[in-house]
Amino acid sequence: MQNGLRQSPDRNYKDHAVKLTLNQVNFFYGDRQALFKIDIEILTNQVTSFIGPSGCGKSTLLRCLNRLNDLVEGARLEGTMLLDGIDIYGPNVDITDLRKRVGMVFQKSNPFPKSIYENVAYGPRLHGIRNRGRLDQIVEEGLIGAGLWEEVKDRLQASAFGLSGGQQQRLCIARALAVKPDVLLMDEPCSALDPVATAKIEELLFSLKQDLTVVIVTHNMQQAARVSDWTAFMYLGEIVEYGLTKEIFTTPSKKQTDDYITGRFG
Amino acid sequence: MRSPFKKFLASGNVFIWGCAAGVSVSLLMVFGLLLLIVINGLGYFWTANIVELTLKDKQHVMGQLAGREVIPRSVTPDRPEGKSRLRVKIGNRDIYGLDFKWVNDDQIASETYSPDIALLERREWGNMYARIKAVYKGEMLQAEGNDAGWIALAPLIDTTNALYQQITRIERIEIGSINTDIEQARLKIRALEMGAAPDTRESGQIDSLKAQVAAAESRYQERTLELDTLRTQFNEYSVLMVDANGREKQIPVGQIIRALRPNEIGLMHKCWIYLTNVWSVLSTEPREANTEGGIFPAIFGTVMMVIIMSLAVVPFGVLAALYLREYARQGVMVRLVRIAVNNLAGVPSIVFGVFGLGFFIYAVGGTLDTLFFPERLPTPTFGTGGILWASLTLALLTVPVVIVSTEEGLAAVPREFREGSLALGATKLETMLKVVIPSALPGILTGLILSMARAAGEVAPLMLTGVVKLAPSLPVDGSWPFFHFDRKFMHLGFHIYDVGFQSPNVEAAKPMVYITTLVLITVVVLLNLTAIVLRNHLRKKYAGSVL
Ligand SMILES: Nc1ncnc2c1ncn2[C@@H]1O[C@H](COP(=O)(O)OP(=O)(O)O)[C@@H](O)[C@H]1O
Ligand SMILES: [Mg+2]
């Protein structure tokens, strides 16, 4: 328990409630273990980033948080994961409710082959909102939240595929926001985008964390340093070090972390 | 050290040439076949001039030229090579017995095209080529001589054609509906009598039904009287024709559908006649053992069968594919099922016909009959071949195609779509219905296109499950319940077989075979085009994402 946030003596720790608690989590793809004894807490209204070399289990960890890994045949999880104190792998958990509360944005933007409007309205419609006026309002709020409203308000009925890559990714953020999640998981959301589009999304993160908890995976260390309050460095399925972003990047306590962020491996 | 030849081999040019040759041979064969069908089929509608040949033995031959060929040695082995002969369509089957005649070139003394020869299209016995001698009303002479007769004949044909339509309408629709009424009342009586001994209420019902039958029968009597008078009018006039050799033949004007003098008609008018000929083949019913007249019932039957088949095969195939690809646990079992499905596509179609006969007609249809139509037995309703059973049999035959293409379509839906939907809190079913299936629609339609093409061309299974050479009525008509899925039907593919190979008058039937083939190909192409247009529209809508 050397890496846990619980040992971190930082003052911010007391200002924010704990959103997610991972307790001794082990995760297996069949016989192959992908996560080892993950033991961290993620704080409300903060941006927490996971960095680490490719294949170290960042995506796996993220997909455990909304149980998307349930789809993988033979996948198995040990330990507990609490969302607001409730075990998300508990027997009474409704997966669709969980996924409504824990939204996700993927590495490759994946708008549905529908209009911009229908993409954003997809989630609310699923959850039973039929009223046209209400839907219009939710769509507008979602698009404003994702900083896309001004660009698309005149062509809501146009196909989502007509948007640029960055706009598509923000549309996916709007789509996730439209179901009003508590937590937003982002798996390398900018890896396929140009610097301008990346900057827009990074800007967005600052406004998003006012209302929700953001967990972001990135392979770009500058990005993690810029956008996140907390950073976890993962290596081979383990959390090597977890703490305030500025401390991790200035005074890492582990040599591995130091090597990684200074570019000596990764 | 490589020899130049080895270098040439290694460069792959041989391979490319081979591929190109293969493609060209296939294309040539396809286009050659199409060209053959088109030329032979479309030529049929053209009204050729009537030639009058005077032979060296003073005999005359009159008719339309139908071809010229070098005399084969098998016909006259003693003849020197290179001599040719003409094939003339002489018509007048009631006089000569044959429609065509060969005339050797060296027998011909002269060849004329006189404008006064008439071509009579008749309801029976095919075309007549002759000159008019006189027109009679009963025994009374109305007009005499070729030209006077021609002028007198034209209005008479219009009248008899109108009368013919009236008679057919009364026979088909009015008397037909009276017959249905009687039949249904009788069936109700039988159904009432079939149970226990009828009580008073039931016997009252039976009496009123019997009164209905009596009323219908008297209506029937009225109609037959009306028909009798119409028929006398219809047969009132007759025309005396004389052929090239002076042989006379009197035929009722009612037998004539249309009279033309092809040699005096201008090109424009002939083009117009050409179009009316095309239209009449597409829109009318067959005559004379299918060798003449139109093929409308066969077109209708083919299209309707393909549509019913599509309605059956798509849901069935899509559900099966969804289960196999999305729900079933991928393992040995599923792989075996997939192999079985693929092999099903290779089972000879006649086997499906036998299965359709045994399962659909005898088992399902027979059960339906005993449950719902017991009063009609032993006459079967659904327990005999019909368009529904034929369509379902073809649906079974083509379901593997739909399953395979749908599975391919489902596999091509990006995983990101599914995960995106699930991550928003959709259930698997919602994801299927809202994202996966719409994206897989082009694949599903590809399957439908392939299966329609296959189904429209199948004949063998239909022969066991409900196709007939001549159906008395269409599967859709004005009488309740409008769609008669139990009826037998006609089909273009079977029509080709029947007309071309079962008809007593092969020569006369030949053009009909080409036309039917042409129409069948056109129908298949049109059905496919519709589906392709639909698919392209969907493709555009669900085109893969940018990036
Ligand atoms: N669906 C899966 N089935 C089996 N192994 C997987 C699956 N997804 C990921 N893995 C393995 O788990 C490990 C962690 O992968 P991942 O979480 O995607 O890494 P990262 O996102 O950090 O690059 C890798 O070794 C990868 O091969
Ligand atoms: Mg990853």
Side-chain angles (χ1 to χ4, degrees):
Chain A
M1 287 256 265
Q2 289 304 300
N3 313 319
L5 181 62
R6 272 164 266 187
Q7 276 74 41
S8 173
D10 192 81
R11 59 194 148 71
N12 279 343
Y13 177 49
K14 289 162 199 113
D15 299 347
H16 295 281
V18 175
K19 193 72 189 176
L20 287 155
T21 311
L22 280 68
N23 231 331
Q24 296 291 321
V25 170
N26 290 316
F27 185 83
F28 303 84
Y29 287 114
D31 297 333
R32 222 174 137 272
Q33 187 163 4
L35 295 177
F36 296 85
K37 293 196 180 165
I38 307 290
D39 206 19
I40 55 170
E41 289 175 338
I42 292 169
L43 302 184
T44 314
N45 293 10
Q46 296 277 286
V47 176
T48 306
S49 63
F50 286 83
I51 59 172
S54 142
C56 70
K58 308 178 297 288
S59 298
T60 304
L61 179 62
L62 213 58
R63 293 160 62 93
C64 284
L65 294 175
N66 67 350
R67 294 187 64 171
L68 217 49
N69 274 336
D70 287 16
L71 301 176
V72 180
E73 221 161 290
R76 185 163 56 85
L77 182 126
E78 288 171 357
T80 52
M81 274 193 185
L82 308 179
L83 174 65
D84 288 333
I86 295 163
D87 186 0
I88 60 180
Y89 283 83
N92 296 325
V93 171
D94 180 348
I95 287 199
T96 61
D97 276 347
L98 169 75
R99 290 189 185 142
K100 212 175 125 185
R101 288 185 60 192
V102 183
M104 185 158 188
V105 176
F106 297 81
Q107 178 170 4
K108 188 169 176 260
S109 66
N110 58 348
F112 300 133
K114 298 173 189 283
S115 69
I116 295 173
Y117 183 97
E118 284 304 321
N119 262 283
V120 185
Y122 185 85
R125 275 193 209 279
L126 280 179
H127 301 111
I129 295 171
R130 297 267 176 280
N131 181 306
R132 188 75 201 189
R134 182 95 190 83
L135 275 178
D136 287 350
Q137 193 192 342
I138 293 178
V139 169
E140 182 173 345
E141 283 169 10
L143 286 170
I144 289 175
L148 196 59
W149 175 249
E150 286 304 321
E151 290 157 64
V152 301
K153 65 180 177 195
D154 299 323
R155 47 170 174 153
L156 290 177
Q157 297 310 325
S159 164
F161 292 155
L163 299 174
S164 72
Q167 286 173 324
Q168 288 195 13
Q169 192 61 298
R170 279 182 284 146
L171 180 66
C172 293
I173 296 177
R175 188 174 70 185
L177 294 179
V179 291
K180 312 251 180 276
D182 290 352
V183 181
L184 187 62
L185 310 174
M186 303 175 106
D187 191 352
E188 306 197 23
C190 305
S191 63
L193 302 184
D194 60 80
V196 179
T198 305
K200 276 198 180 134
I201 289 187
E202 288 180 6
E203 242 169 71
L204 201 57
L205 291 177
F206 290 105
S207 60
L208 285 179
K209 75 173 179 186
Q210 311 303 321
D211 300 319
L212 35 83
T213 307
V214 179
V215 184
I216 180 169
V217 165
T218 171
H219 57 233
N220 177 339
M221 275 167 299
Q222 286 74 36
Q223 184 172 57
R226 280 194 300 267
V227 301
S228 62
D229 306 297
W230 302 85
T231 298
F233 171 59
M234 289 183 75
Y235 185 59
L236 295 179
E238 286 184 79
I239 300 231
V240 176
E241 190 167 355
Y242 177 39
L244 271 175
T245 301
K246 44 181 185 258
E247 286 172 6
I248 296 263
F249 278 92
T250 50
T251 53
S253 60
K254 296 273 161 64
K255 182 171 180 305
Q256 272 173 325
T257 321
D258 195 25
D259 287 351
Y260 183 70
I261 58 184
T262 52
R264 251 165 283 172
F265 84 101
Chain B
M1 275 273 73
R2 289 217 272 180
S3 70
F5 178 67
K6 267 196 177 154
K7 245 188 195 161
F8 173 69
L9 273 186
S11 73
N13 278 345
V14 180
F15 182 67
I16 295 171
W17 279 102
C19 292
V23 170
S24 356
V25 168
S26 324
L27 282 182
L28 264 179
M29 289 195 326
V30 169
F31 282 113
L33 180 68
L34 281 181
L35 203 69
L36 179 81
I37 293 169
V38 166
I39 289 175
N40 282 295
L42 292 184
Y44 171 76
F45 300 110
W46 186 252
T47 312
N49 283 343
I50 298 176
V51 68
E52 189 172 8
L53 301 171
T54 312
L55 305 186
K56 292 197 172 132
D57 58 5
K58 300 287 178 249
Q59 284 287 310
H60 295 266
V61 176
M62 195 149 87
Q64 291 170 305
L65 289 186
R68 179 192 291 272
E69 67 167 28
V70 172
I71 302 173
R73 290 201 161 259
S74 61
V75 179
T76 42
D78 54 320
R79 269 173 192 282
E81 240 173 283
K83 296 242 169 161
S84 60
R85 59 180 185 174
L86 284 175
R87 201 159 76 104
V88 187
K89 183 174 181 190
I90 51 172
N92 304 9
R93 205 185 307 147
D94 43 347
I95 310 178
Y96 309 140
L98 282 173
D99 287 272
F100 289 88
K101 187 180 173 79
W102 289 106
V103 181
N104 293 340
D105 275 353
D106 58 3
Q107 294 176 319
I108 299 171
S110 74
E111 186 177 319
T112 53
Y113 292 86
S114 71
D116 62 345
I117 307 172
L119 185 170
L120 304 185
E121 262 173 55
R122 299 182 292 178
R123 291 183 216 286
E124 281 166 24
W125 301 111
N127 287 350
M128 170 168 259
Y129 306 99
R131 290 190 179 84
I132 299 168
K133 191 165 185 199
V135 176
Y136 293 94
K137 177 180 186 176
E139 299 290 307
M140 264 167 16
L141 188 67
Q142 290 284 303
E144 195 164 17
N146 196 355
D147 292 324
W150 174 249
I151 293 167
L153 188 60
L156 293 180
I157 293 176
D158 289 343
T159 334
T160 47
N161 272 337
L163 278 171
Y164 184 78
Q165 276 184 4
Q166 208 179 338
I167 291 172
T168 335
R169 209 198 61 232
I170 294 176
E171 277 175 348
R172 285 270 174 88
I173 300 177
E174 300 188 7
I175 294 192
S177 80
I178 293 173
N179 277 339
T180 336
D181 288 351
I182 295 178
E183 179 65 16
Q184 270 168 1
R186 287 220 173 105
L187 285 174
K188 276 185 199 154
I189 295 173
R190 232 183 113 188
L192 286 171
E193 285 172 348
M194 248 171 24
D199 59 26
T200 45
R201 190 179 56 85
E202 278 176 351
S203 45
Q205 270 180 352
I206 291 178
D207 288 343
S208 81
L209 283 169
K210 277 184 177 152
Q212 274 178 31
V213 172
E217 268 164 359
S218 76
R219 265 188 293 147
Y220 179 82
Q221 293 301 331
E222 284 167 32
R223 289 280 162 238
T224 28
L225 281 180
E226 194 181 337
L227 270 185
D228 284 345
T229 48
L230 287 175
R231 283 210 185 98
T232 9
Q233 283 176 35
F234 184 67
N235 290 322
E236 212 170 11
Y237 290 90
S238 62
V239 55
L240 184 66
M241 306 294 295
V242 51
D243 82 351
N245 292 316
R247 217 159 358 144
E248 291 183 357
K249 175 85 189 171
Q250 186 159 12
I251 58 172
V253 176
Q255 283 300 313
I256 304 172
I257 299 170
R258 184 163 67 167
L260 296 170
R261 279 177 161 183
N263 295 359
E264 64 171 30
I265 297 177
L267 189 65
M268 287 304 289
H269 191 190
K270 269 201 177 167
C271 291
W272 170 248
I273 291 174
Y274 184 89
L275 293 179
T276 57
N277 283 346
V278 172
W279 173 245
S280 87
V281 163
L282 294 181
S283 65
T284 59
E285 291 173 20
R287 297 193 310 264
E288 303 209 45
N290 295 349
T291 57
E292 307 230 352
I295 50 175
F296 176 71
I299 300 177
F300 190 90
T302 309
V303 172
M304 183 164 168
M305 187 207 70
V306 170
I307 290 175
I308 300 178
M309 183 226 59
S310 310
L311 292 180
V313 81
V314 167
F316 200 50
V318 169
L319 285 178
L322 269 181
Y323 179 77
L324 283 180
R325 167 79 39 188
E326 305 286 338
Y327 287 96
R329 221 190 132 84
Q330 303 298 313
V332 182
M333 197 57 207
V334 165
R335 217 170 311 148
L336 283 181
V337 170
R338 241 181 231 135
I339 292 172
V341 165
N342 286 337
N343 280 320
L344 212 56
V347 173
S349 56
I350 190 75
V351 175
F352 282 95
V354 175
F355 177 80
L357 180 69
F359 179 71
F360 288 125
I361 296 180
Y362 292 153
V364 181
T367 317
L368 284 179
D369 276 359
T370 43
L371 290 179
F372 299 108
F373 309 102
E375 70 278 4
R376 296 193 196 173
L377 287 173
T379 317
T381 311
F382 279 101
T384 176
I387 192 164
L388 178 66
W389 300 141
S391 307
L392 290 184
T393 306
L394 285 188
L396 269 188
L397 178 89
T398 57
V399 81
V401 183
V402 178
I403 294 181
V404 170
S405 343
T406 307
E407 274 210 66
E408 272 164 18
L410 289 173
V413 177
R415 210 186 65 184
E416 287 85 33
F417 283 180
R418 299 161 202 263
E419 291 193 337
S421 168
L422 291 170
L424 287 167
T427 61
K428 188 163 183 181
L429 181 68
E430 287 164 337
T431 305
M432 280 299 139
L433 294 179
K434 293 188 162 200
V435 177
V436 177
I437 294 181
S439 307
L441 268 183
I444 296 173
L445 281 174
T446 304
L448 178 64
I449 290 166
L450 294 174
S451 74
M452 286 199 310
R454 169 116 202 249
E458 265 317 329
V459 176
L462 302 181
M463 290 163 72
L464 301 182
T465 53
V467 93
V468 282
K469 57 184 290 164
L470 194 63
S473 44
L474 295 175
V476 176
D477 65 15
S479 71
W480 176 261
F482 309 123
F483 287 90
H484 306 275
F485 294 118
D486 55 323
R487 280 194 190 159
K488 298 198 189 305
F489 65 108
M490 291 174 72
H491 182 274
L492 288 168
F494 183 71
H495 205 73
I496 294 172
Y497 167 74
D498 177 62
V499 174
F501 305 97
Q502 302 289 296
S503 127
N505 192 353
V506 181
E507 280 299 329
K510 217 157 106 185
M512 213 59 190
V513 174
Y514 283 114
I515 293 165
T516 314
T517 312
L518 189 60
V519 171
L520 177 57
I521 293 175
T522 315
V523 165
V524 173
V525 169
L526 284 182
L527 284 170
N528 279 347
L529 273 184
T530 326
I532 288 171
V533 167
L534 194 66
R535 181 180 65 180
N536 287 352
H537 175 75
L538 289 170
R539 276 237 176 97
K540 226 181 269 163
K541 200 166 155 199
Y542 295 110
S545 76
V546 201
L547 277 181

